[in-house]
Amino acid sequence: MKWFEYGDEKISHREILIAIPSIMIGVGVLSLPRDLAGETIGVDGWISLLISGGFIILITWLAARLAIRFPHQSFVSYSAKLLSKPVAVVVTFIFIVIALWLAALEVREISDIAKQYLFDRTPLEILSLTFLLVVIYAVSGSRAGIFRLNLMFLPIIIFIALAVIVLNIGWFRLDHLLPVFETSFTGYRKGIGSSLSPLMGFGMILLFYTSLVDRPKKVPRSAVIGTCIPIVLYIFLYITSIGVFGNSVTSNLIFPVIELAKVVDIPGGFFERFESIFFVIWIMAIFNTTVMALDIAVLALGNMFKNKSKITMVCILSPIVYVVAMYPEDLVGVASMGKYLGYVSIGFTTFITILLTIIAKLRKVRQK
C-alpha cells in the first residue's frame, strides 16, 4: 500500500456535518419501510419516523455540547474526569463493542444483499471477507482520508436516493397512502422502535471524533444539520415506498428501497437495470458506515493503549468483526441482530450522554 501523508489529522466542523449522515445512512434504510409498514397503517409510519428523528436530533445536540466542553480531549480522557478512570475504561470498552457490532452487521448485510441480487453462486463467507478486506485497507490508512472519502461519496449517495424517489413518481398512487391517522398508540410506539435502528452511530461520531476538530465551537450546529439529512431522506423514501407499493406489499418486501430501484422506468427505454447502478452506489454508503464504525473502535482502543500501533489495533479487531458477521444463520437472525444493536446503541449512547452532561453541569465544567 502506497502511503499518502495528509497535511494534518485535524478535521473541520463541516466534516463532522458530513460524517454523521455518512455513518447513519447504511443498510438499515433498505428495509426500514418494511418494518414501519408492518407496525403502522397506511402512510402513518412517517409520524413514528419524525418522532424518533426529533429524539435523535436532541441527543445529537446534547452529545455535541458535551464533547465541546472538553476541546481536543479524547472521550476516555474527559469521561475519566467525570466518572473515574475505571468506569471510563468500561464505558469506552462498551462503545468499542457497539462499534464492532455495527461494523459486523454492515458486513453481513451487504454480503446477504450481494448474494441475493448479484452473486448468487458465491459463498457468503467469501463476499464478507472480500468486503471486509477493502474496509481494513481504508481504516489502515490516514483517518483524515476517511473524512475526505465521506465528502466525496455522500453527494453521490444522496443524488442516487433522490433519483429513485423522482423516477418513481409515475408509479406513485395517492390512494395507497390512505387511510391516514388510523394507527393505534401501540402501533406508533412500535414504529418508533423500528425507526431508531437505522439512525444509530451519530453519538459515537461526536463523542470520539470531536477531539480531532480544530474549531469545535461550531460542532453542535453542524451535528444537528448533519442528523437532519438522513431523517428527511428516510421519510421521503418511506412515503415513496408506500405510494408505489402500498402498505401491505411494502410490509412483505425484504428490501423495499431496492425494489423501488428495480421498478424505475427511465423514459425512452435507453437504460435498463437501474437497480444495478443504485446497488453499486449504495455500497459506498455501507462502506462509509463500516469504515467509520471500525475506525471508531480502533481510535477508542488506541486512546486506552497508546503504545500500540494503529495497524496492530486493526489486526486485533478485524477478525472479531468477521466472526460476529458470520454468526447469524439466516436473514431472520441478521434482522434480530440489527434490532438488538439499535436498542443497545441508541439506549447506551443516550444514557451516557445524559449522565455525563448532568455530572458536568453539577461540577460546573464550562466550555473553554
Side-chain angles (χ1 to χ4, degrees):
M1 179 173 68
K2 185 178 180 181
W3 183 265
F4 178 81
E5 191 72 38
Y6 285 87
D8 56 63
E9 285 291 311
K10 291 293 181 183
I11 59 177
S12 70
H13 63 93
R14 293 186 182 85
E15 286 169 306
I16 287 290
L17 189 156
I18 299 296
I20 289 178
S22 294
I23 195 171
M24 291 171 76
I25 299 175
V27 77
V29 66
L30 301 179
S31 58
L32 174 65
R34 178 199 64 196
D35 299 333
L36 275 177
E39 306 292 355
T40 57
I41 297 172
V43 74
D44 287 352
W46 73 270
I47 298 174
S48 298
L49 191 49
L50 190 65
I51 294 172
S52 58
F55 173 74
I56 294 296
I57 289 173
L58 174 63
I59 301 302
T60 296
W61 184 79
L62 283 176
R65 296 289 301 175
L66 170 67
I68 66 171
R69 286 174 184 267
F70 307 91
H72 310 303
Q73 294 184 45
S74 66
F75 174 77
V76 68
S77 174
Y78 67 76
S79 60
K81 293 177 183 176
L82 298 174
L83 297 173
S84 78
K85 190 170 183 180
V87 177
V89 169
V90 172
V91 171
T92 305
F93 179 75
I94 294 174
F95 272 120
I96 292 173
V97 171
I98 292 173
L100 294 176
W101 193 354
L102 175 58
L105 177 68
E106 298 292 321
V107 169
R108 177 57 186 267
E109 293 219 50
I110 188 61
S111 305
D112 282 330
I113 296 172
K115 187 173 179 62
Q116 182 171 347
Y117 289 95
L118 295 177
F119 308 107
D120 57 334
R121 288 185 288 182
T122 305
L124 196 66
E125 292 78 6
I126 300 299
L127 293 172
S128 299
L129 181 61
T130 305
F131 182 72
L132 182 58
L133 287 175
V134 180
V135 170
I136 291 170
Y137 179 83
V139 175
S140 301
S142 165
R143 185 160 288 123
I146 296 173
F147 285 90
R148 306 309 191 264
L149 277 179
N150 291 337
L151 286 171
M152 185 170 63
F153 286 172
L154 187 65
I156 303 172
I157 293 162
I158 292 176
F159 173 79
I160 196 68
L162 293 177
V164 167
I165 295 170
V166 172
L167 294 174
N168 271 288
I169 287 178
W171 301 99
F172 196 94
R173 292 178 56 183
L174 288 176
D175 57 308
H176 281 166
L177 306 182
L178 300 176
V180 295
F181 305 119
E182 293 290 330
T183 302
S184 64
F185 176 79
T186 303
Y188 283 126
R189 180 177 57 77
K190 290 181 178 178
I192 291 171
S194 299
S195 57
L196 281 174
S197 295
L199 298 173
M200 60 185 164
F202 62 97
M204 292 188 292
I205 289 285
L206 293 167
L207 296 176
F208 289 94
Y209 280 142
T210 301
S211 62
L212 306 177
V213 178
D214 52 358
R215 296 176 182 174
K217 287 185 179 179
K218 295 183 179 179
V219 167
R221 180 172 176 272
S222 299
V224 168
I225 295 172
T227 308
C228 290
I229 294 173
I231 293 171
V232 173
L233 190 65
Y234 287 7
I235 290 175
F236 277 104
L237 283 171
Y238 167 72
I239 293 175
T240 305
S241 296
I242 300 297
V244 172
F245 301 120
N247 184 286
S248 59
V249 174
T250 301
S251 64
N252 286 288
L253 294 172
I254 298 176
F255 299 110
V257 177
I258 295 180
E259 299 301 324
L260 279 178
K262 289 178 72 174
V263 300
V264 164
D265 184 20
I266 297 180
F270 62 91
F271 185 79
E272 297 181 351
R273 300 293 304 268
F274 179 82
E275 77 274 14
S276 59
I277 299 293
F278 171 82
F279 185 73
V280 169
I281 292 179
W282 210 259
I283 288 177
M284 295 180 185
I286 299 167
F287 174 79
N288 281 347
T289 302
T290 314
V291 166
M292 281 192 289
L294 182 56
D295 187 63
I296 288 169
V298 170
L299 175 63
L301 199 62
N303 288 333
M304 290 194 293
F305 301 97
K306 295 185 178 180
N307 58 337
K308 300 293 182 184
S309 70
K310 184 177 181 181
I311 298 298
T312 302
M313 303 291 183
V314 173
C315 292
I316 293 172
L317 298 179
S318 298
I320 299 174
V321 172
Y322 183 74
V323 170
V324 176
M326 292 295 99
Y327 180 74
E329 294 183 357
D330 50 28
L331 289 176
V332 176
V334 176
S336 298
M337 180 180 172
K339 181 179 176 182
Y340 290 123
L341 173 59
Y343 291 148
V344 172
S345 173
I346 293 180
F348 188 70
T349 301
T350 302
F351 172 71
I352 291 299
T353 299
I354 294 175
L355 177 65
L356 293 182
T357 299
I358 292 173
I359 294 175
K361 281 189 174 295
L362 291 176
R363 293 187 180 182
K364 299 181 179 178
V365 178
R366 296 185 180 277
Q367 179 184 339
K368 297 181 180 176

